[in-house]
Amino acid sequence: QYTVFTLGDALITFNPSETGPLRYVPSFTRKVGGAELNFAIGCARLGLTIKWASRLGGDEFGRVIYNFARGEGVDLSHVEFVENYPTSLNFKEIREDGSGKTFYYRYQSPILTMEPDDIKEEMFEGVDLIHLTGVFLAIDPKNLEIVKRVLNIAAQKNIRISFDPNIRLKLWTLEQAKAAYMEILPAVDILLTGLDEIEMIVGDSADSALEKCAEDFHIEQMVIKDGGNGARVYQNGTWHKKEAFPVTPIDTVGAGDGFDAGYVYAALHGYSPEDALEFANGVGALVTTVSGDNEGLPYLEEVTALIRKEKVVER
Ligand code: ATP
């Protein structure tokens, strides 16, 4: 049984009851979201022990998130409620053509109360891998110091690091994001990035440029997610690629977070590069078949069933 640690904010997401400009939408369905929490739920469903460090509002919505995460089996020992910091919210708008927008209400996120000193060595007892994302970094400049403290402890304890840049240009500029990533990347073992993101970070999409980035930062596995085209990884000087599973996507939000959970599961269990990509593609594909950011995250049996069926069809 492997143990994974992640760190980040969570939000209440309001999904519109109907399509069209938000100003005309009278009712919403309340859901729970946030990249790191989605990742954590993905890990829990696959059977990993997952510890999530966060701060939640000391309000009704904070309780909703806490109870939801607890129900999914996420270890909440490092989650605290903060009074007078309302839980962050976002409202989704879905246009008739299926395109969407998200409106964030995240001015005084409870996670802003987390300080580097709150990160204690004993939090990482028994942890095999730490997963970090750029969303946490983007929320507040101070979070880079928190992440650096996590990375220091990880280096002392020899804990592997996975990182998803998850660029959110609504929260900071590309220049700010890149400056922070440059400080993180030397410590990253597994980089999990979207194709568009790595192009923005490296400033070039040619394989040679990506390989140089992996080599310059000593990134052991550079994984590039490419939606319906599947994913590839640059590892030990070679590219490995796997096609996506042929599914009919209903809602692709959260596919990347699910993919990350799947890839981390596979990496911890020592899968070959191709098998790890296939497993993670399976998780990502299943996420897209269900509406919601984390509702579609599969249990281990569901991923293995998808993979087995695929293999039978191939023969
Ligand atoms: P996000 O952060 O918005 O969740 P991302 O850019 O990190 O997304 P994507 O590349 O969109 O991630 O998707 C992650 C993975 O999910 C893909 O690599 C693929 O395995 C799977 N996936 C996504 N879209 C599809 C699809 N249409 N069909 C099959 N699999 C998909």
Side-chain angles (χ1 to χ4, degrees):
Q1 175 86 19
Y2 292 101
T3 300
V4 176
F5 179 101
T6 191
L7 173 71
D9 199 13
L11 326 92
I12 293 286
T13 292
F14 286 96
N15 282 3
S17 57
E18 43 195 87
T19 54
L22 208 59
R23 74 193 83 142
Y24 302 117
V25 177
S27 58
F28 298 84
T29 306
R30 191 200 65 213
K31 306 223 176 192
V32 168
E36 296 91 352
L37 180 57
N38 294 338
F39 169 84
I41 294 168
C43 288
R45 292 202 185 159
L46 293 173
L48 294 166
T49 298
I50 172 78
K51 294 167 183 265
W52 176 50
S54 193
R55 296 285 184 274
L56 299 174
D59 53 13
E60 290 295 313
F61 288 141
R63 274 283 158 205
V64 170
I65 296 174
Y66 188 90
N67 292 349
F68 183 83
R70 187 157 67 174
E72 292 292 342
V74 176
D75 180 332
L76 302 177
S77 319
H78 306 301
V79 172
E80 288 173 22
F81 289 103
V82 189
E83 294 305 324
N84 303 319
Y85 281 74
T87 298
S88 302
L89 311 177
N90 70 48
F91 289 80
K92 286 193 183 156
E93 177 183 88
I94 302 171
R95 290 300 180 106
E96 276 74 12
D97 65 0
S99 68
K101 260 194 207 166
T102 306
F103 299 88
Y104 289 94
Y105 294 81
R106 188 186 227 165
Y107 303 112
Q108 273 278 75
S109 168
I111 204 124
L112 297 179
T113 62
M114 194 185 269
E115 298 288 339
D117 284 352
D118 292 328
I119 304 297
K120 308 263 193 292
E121 233 182 276
E122 52 272 23
M123 290 163 76
F124 302 90
E125 211 56 61
V127 169
D128 299 291
L129 181 141
I130 298 169
H131 180 73
L132 301 164
T133 94
V135 182
F136 179 67
L137 289 169
I139 292 169
D140 190 51
K142 173 187 54 158
N143 289 355
L144 180 59
E145 297 313 312
I146 297 177
V147 166
K148 280 185 183 166
R149 167 125 179 92
V150 171
L151 294 177
N152 274 335
I153 298 174
Q156 281 164 30
K157 292 183 170 279
N158 228 344
I159 302 173
R160 298 170 84 186
I161 303 290
S162 60
F163 178 64
D164 185 336
N166 245 316
I167 299 183
R168 295 283 193 279
L169 293 177
K170 278 191 181 171
L171 294 175
W172 57 356
T173 65
L174 180 59
E175 286 63 39
Q176 289 172 318
K178 276 163 78 169
Y181 299 160
M182 294 309 136
E183 300 210 39
I184 306 297
L185 286 175
V188 171
D189 301 293
I190 302 173
L191 178 66
L192 296 151
T193 165
L195 179 61
D196 47 345
E197 285 181 324
I198 194 72
E199 281 177 18
M200 283 195 260
I201 297 167
V202 174
D204 188 343
S205 61
D207 278 3
S208 56
L210 304 182
E211 291 161 14
K212 185 170 183 308
C213 171
E215 275 146 21
D216 286 352
F217 290 107
H218 302 286
I219 297 167
E220 184 194 300
Q221 303 174 38
M222 180 193 261
V223 184
I224 299 180
K225 301 175 263 183
D226 189 13
N229 298 318
R232 56 197 189 121
V233 59
Y234 184 68
Q235 186 173 352
N236 290 328
T238 313
W239 287 100
H240 306 266
K241 182 173 170 31
K242 267 286 176 188
E243 296 298 325
F245 284 89
V247 291
T248 307
I250 291 173
D251 176 2
T252 60
V253 177
D257 304 328
F259 180 101
D260 293 356
Y263 195 89
V264 158
Y265 176 93
L268 286 169
H269 286 84
Y271 285 27
S272 70
E274 278 80 12
D275 287 351
L277 291 173
E278 181 180 49
F279 188 87
N281 277 340
V283 177
L286 288 169
V287 172
T288 70
T289 62
V290 180
S291 161
D293 299 4
N294 44 50
E295 285 84 338
L297 286 162
Y299 291 90
L300 183 59
E301 313 79 82
E302 296 176 283
V303 191
T304 27
L306 178 76
I307 291 171
R308 275 201 215 110
K309 219 188 288 167
E310 184 74 5
K311 282 188 172 150
V312 171
V313 171
E314 271 174 12
R315 281 183 214 135

